[in-house]
Every structure is written in C-alpha cells, then in structure tokens.
Amino acid sequence: MAPRTRSQGYKSPSKQRSPGIQANTPQKSAFYWAWDARESGETLKSICDATDTTTPTARRWLHQREILGSPAYRRTRKLSNHLEKPSYVSDETCKKLVSPSRNPVRDQLYEAQIAHHDLPVKKRQLQNRLRQATKGAQRVKYGEEHQHKTVDDFWQYVFFTDEAHIDPSSTSQGCILREQGTRYDTANIQERGEKIGVKLHIAAWINWHEKVDKLEFYNNEEEHVERPRRPAKPRTRKHESEEEFQNRLREWEVLESRISKPREKPREKPGRQT
C-alpha cells in the first residue's frame, strides 16, 4: 500500500528561481501590494529584498502595470503587434506597386500584377499587405487627428456621409492600384464614359447618436426644359390710343403663340410594305 501524502515530510520549495521562468501571480501580486503600501522613505531595493524580487524585475513589472493595468498581475505572453510570420510582400514592394513611375501594370487586375512582379502570394494576401503598408484613408487620418476629443464637445456634431452612383448602361471605370486618400491625384484619375442610361444615386449618413433609417435614392440628372413665363394679356391704358393698344396686343399674341406652341412630334419612318 502506498504511503499517504501527509505522512511524508513537507519540503519547502527553494527560493532560488531558475532563470527564464516568469513569476507566478501570487509573487507578482505580493510585490505590487508591498509597493502600493510602502511607507515614506522606503526604497525599491528594500521592497525587492522583502519580496525576494530582483530590482530590474521590479522595474519591469512596474512598467508593465503602467501600460497594461490589471492584466500585469497575471502571466503575460510576449507582447507584440505582429505575432504571425513575416509576409512575403515587404513594405518596399507595396510602395513600388502603388507608384505610378515604378509599376507599369498599375491599371491591371491584382492577378496580372502578381504575375508581372512574381509575388508568391494570392490576391487577398496582397490586398491586406497593401492596406497595412500604405497610407490610410482620409477618414482614418481625421479620426487619428481628433481621437482625443470628447463626444460632448466634438464628435456628437460630426456627420459622416457617403454616396454611390449607379448607371447600368455605362461602361465600367478602369481599375488602378493606388494608396488610400490619393483618389484625386493627377496620376490616379481615370476617364469614364458618358452616362447614357438610368442614373441612380444613393446616399446615407451616420452620427454618434443615430443613423439614417433608409438609404436615400434620388435622381437629379433628368433634362427639364424650363419654359419662359407667359406674359400677361395687355389691357387698355388711360392715356393710350387705340393704335398703340393694338400694337401691344399683337406683340403679346406673337409671344403667346411661341410659348404655347406644341412640340413637333418626330416623323415615323414608313414600315416595310408587304
């Protein structure tokens, strides 16, 4: 029969910590508690000696708590903004792809650019790398510029709007690879054919408190012929002769006939006789 655990003598763990092992939560919490409850005149070295902590480790823990807050009391993995393996597309390659002078196939599809530059990635990977390594959109810059402003004083008065324009019969605009926020640069402007079909516009807006209930659809490109205002029929004046009145009446009739004249209907082409 195996002896019971309590029958064996208790052996205290060694105070010598093996190098490279992070301290557990109780030891870090004990150090933080001793540091927060320190008396005036008590140094960091004395607190480290009382909690069996080295001075460089104590400084590192205090710095972590300033940055992380409460998660610093627990075990933390290696902190990094980029934990995955390095990408095959470097930042310099991304700058080259969006440069008008260094990328001759900038106006072609992603697949064509990947084949031309011999990039060992797929379309989605290239899109993600371009988004990470190039400039952000104007709205992102605007948000970063005013990120420290409060809602009550600033953000509740800001409205973000967006529009989309649809013409099913028009030819699609050519694609070109560019950085976000450089749409109106001379090298990035693409010509588009004239819209000849049904022109539909869609608009929407959003604010801190609410957003538009439904999308706004409008069409303000219809050609309307504005006719001139119809002149009032002349009346006889007190000090006017009959001849002068008849002259004004004839002028009014001419203007009235021009305005009220109906449009001529287009002549129908004769059909083929059988």
Side-chain angles (χ1 to χ4, degrees):
M1 181 176 180
R4 294 180 300 175
T5 304
R6 289 182 179 271
S7 63
Q8 299 178 1
Y10 177 76
K11 183 179 180 180
S12 301
S14 176
K15 292 184 178 181
Q16 295 182 357
R17 195 181 319 130
S18 59
I21 299 178
Q22 189 176 10
N24 55 12
T25 300
Q27 185 173 3
K28 296 177 69 174
S29 300
F31 167 75
Y32 287 137
W33 180 87
W35 174 258
D36 295 337
R38 69 185 183 278
E39 298 179 356
S40 59
E42 192 173 5
T43 62
L44 178 63
K45 183 68 169 59
S46 61
I47 297 176
C48 292
D49 294 340
T51 57
D52 190 24
T53 308
T54 60
T55 305
T57 302
R59 292 196 181 98
R60 177 167 53 85
W61 287 353
L62 293 175
H63 182 66
Q64 285 182 355
R65 190 172 67 166
E66 291 179 0
I67 298 176
L68 302 178
S70 60
Y73 286 80
R74 302 181 293 272
R75 291 178 181 266
T76 54
R77 62 179 295 182
K78 292 183 178 181
L79 302 179
S80 176
N81 295 329
H82 188 73
L83 299 177
E84 60 185 6
K85 64 179 182 180
S87 176
Y88 293 107
V89 183
S90 62
D91 295 349
E92 180 62 26
T93 303
C94 295
K95 297 292 184 181
K96 176 183 177 181
L97 292 175
V98 297
S99 175
S101 59
R102 302 169 60 187
N103 186 6
V105 293
R106 196 166 63 102
D107 55 348
Q108 298 185 20
L109 299 178
Y110 283 104
E111 292 79 3
Q113 300 192 43
I114 291 173
H116 181 271
H117 297 283
D118 194 18
L119 301 177
V121 294
K122 299 295 183 180
K123 173 183 175 182
R124 181 62 61 84
Q125 294 173 295
L126 180 59
Q127 289 177 328
N128 294 336
R129 283 297 297 140
L130 290 171
R131 193 179 301 109
Q132 296 171 0
T134 56
K135 296 179 181 179
Q138 296 295 333
R139 290 185 179 180
V140 178
K141 296 180 181 179
Y142 185 82
E144 293 176 350
E145 181 181 354
H146 304 282
Q147 62 179 337
H148 299 294
K149 296 184 179 180
T150 61
V151 176
D152 297 334
D153 298 337
F154 183 79
W155 286 110
Q156 66 173 344
Y157 304 109
V158 177
F159 285 79
F160 291 97
T161 61
D162 204 351
E163 295 184 44
H165 312 280
I166 301 175
D167 182 10
S169 63
S170 64
T171 58
S172 60
Q173 186 179 9
C175 299
I176 189 168
L177 189 62
R178 59 174 176 80
E179 288 185 295
Q180 296 187 17
T182 60
R183 174 186 302 176
Y184 300 106
D185 291 356
T186 306
N188 297 332
I189 296 178
Q190 298 291 304
E191 295 184 1
R192 175 181 292 177
E194 183 181 359
K195 295 183 177 181
I196 58 176
V198 179
K199 295 164 275 285
L200 179 63
H201 307 272
I202 307 172
W205 58 267
I206 189 171
N207 180 260
W208 175 268
H209 300 287
E210 58 181 345
K211 63 181 180 180
V212 64
D213 296 332
K214 297 180 180 179
L215 295 176
E216 298 289 340
F217 296 90
Y218 63 94
N219 183 0
N220 59 351
E221 297 186 9
E222 295 181 1
E223 296 181 359
H224 297 281
V225 179
E226 296 184 0
R227 295 184 178 182
R229 187 177 179 180
R230 301 182 65 176
K233 187 175 182 180
R235 297 183 179 182
T236 57
R237 298 172 181 175
K238 184 176 182 180
H239 304 286
E240 183 182 31
S241 63
E242 182 66 22
E243 184 179 358
E244 294 175 347
F245 172 72
Q246 292 297 331
N247 292 335
R248 290 196 302 113
L249 185 61
R250 282 192 293 269
E251 293 177 358
W252 173 81
E253 290 177 351
V254 173
L255 293 176
E256 181 70 15
S257 62
R258 292 178 180 177
I259 296 175
S260 60
K261 183 178 180 180
R263 295 183 178 180
E264 296 182 358
K265 296 183 179 180
R267 297 179 180 180
E268 298 180 357
K269 296 181 180 181
R272 182 179 179 180
Q273 297 180 2
T274 57

